[in-house]
Amino acid sequence: LLYYAKMERPNSEIQTSTVVLSRFLQSLLPKWQRDTPLSIVIDDAESQGVVVNADPTLLKRALDNLLRNAMRYAKKQIVLELVDTPDHCCIQIHDDGCGIEEKDWPHLFDAFYSADKARNKSTSGFGLGLAIVKQIVELQDGCVSVSHSPLGGACFTVCFQK
């Protein structure tokens, strides 16, 4: 809650630098993999040299939040895919879980929102993780969205302008 409040301040400081996304994700992979028995794969074959101007500490926090959610709902695997377009660099986090109903998509990034009303707050959290992700990404002039994953679960996409 304190982190959410801190990020909500209009004068939140960011320390941007050039981040090579492929290397950045590969550096985070061992920690994520230690935290779950699920298979976590980084698909960066087409995007090895993609760079963004971002705050590495904040970007790590946003990705950690997204990966923790994927770990909670995935059955066997999570795939992080780098997508490079002429205008944007994107990181997609796919899972093979049950997915999220489209009716919940517009509210997922709202503070304290939970798509599953039956979830126990002690095991699913308080609905701040995705709100923090949105704050972090928008603070760096990016955007975050959700869609269906070809793996069957959810796909969260974080994009930054080039």
Side-chain angles (χ1 to χ4, degrees), residues 16-87:
T16 60
S17 63
T18 300
V19 177
V20 180
L21 287 178
S22 180
R23 268 192 260 151
F24 188 71
L25 293 177
Q26 291 292 343
S27 73
L28 298 173
L29 183 60
K31 180 185 180 303
W32 291 330
Q33 197 61 76
R34 276 192 306 270
D35 294 342
T36 184
L38 299 165
S39 167
I40 302 175
V41 175
I42 297 175
D43 179 0
D44 59 358
E46 302 293 319
S47 306
Q48 285 286 319
V50 174
V51 298
V52 294
N53 277 333
D55 182 316
T57 303
L58 292 178
L59 181 57
K60 178 186 178 304
R61 176 65 185 254
L63 293 173
D64 280 344
N65 285 2
L66 291 170
L67 262 288
R68 299 281 168 241
N69 281 353
M71 288 176 194
R72 190 176 295 136
Y73 301 110
K75 295 175 188 167
K76 293 183 181 178
Q77 67 176 331
I78 298 168
V79 175
L80 285 86
E81 181 179 8
L82 289 182
V83 178
D84 185 23
T85 71
D87 300 324

Side-chain angles (χ1 to χ4, degrees), residues 62-134:
L63 293 173
D64 280 344
N65 285 2
L66 291 170
L67 262 288
R68 299 281 168 241
N69 281 353
M71 288 176 194
R72 190 176 295 136
Y73 301 110
K75 295 175 188 167
K76 293 183 181 178
Q77 67 176 331
I78 298 168
V79 175
L80 285 86
E81 181 179 8
L82 289 182
V83 178
D84 185 23
T85 71
D87 300 324
H88 295 90
C89 302
C90 302
I91 305 167
Q92 295 184 334
I93 296 97
H94 298 269
D95 71 65
D96 64 351
C98 59
I100 301 167
E101 292 185 40
E102 288 184 34
K103 69 178 178 67
D104 292 310
W105 292 0
H107 310 288
L108 281 179
F109 300 99
D110 296 345
F112 307 109
Y113 184 80
S114 178
D116 184 352
K117 304 302 181 210
R119 287 202 179 122
N120 179 337
K121 293 292 182 197
S122 67
T123 58
S124 70
F126 292 95
L128 289 175
L130 293 176
I132 289 170
V133 169
K134 181 179 178 183

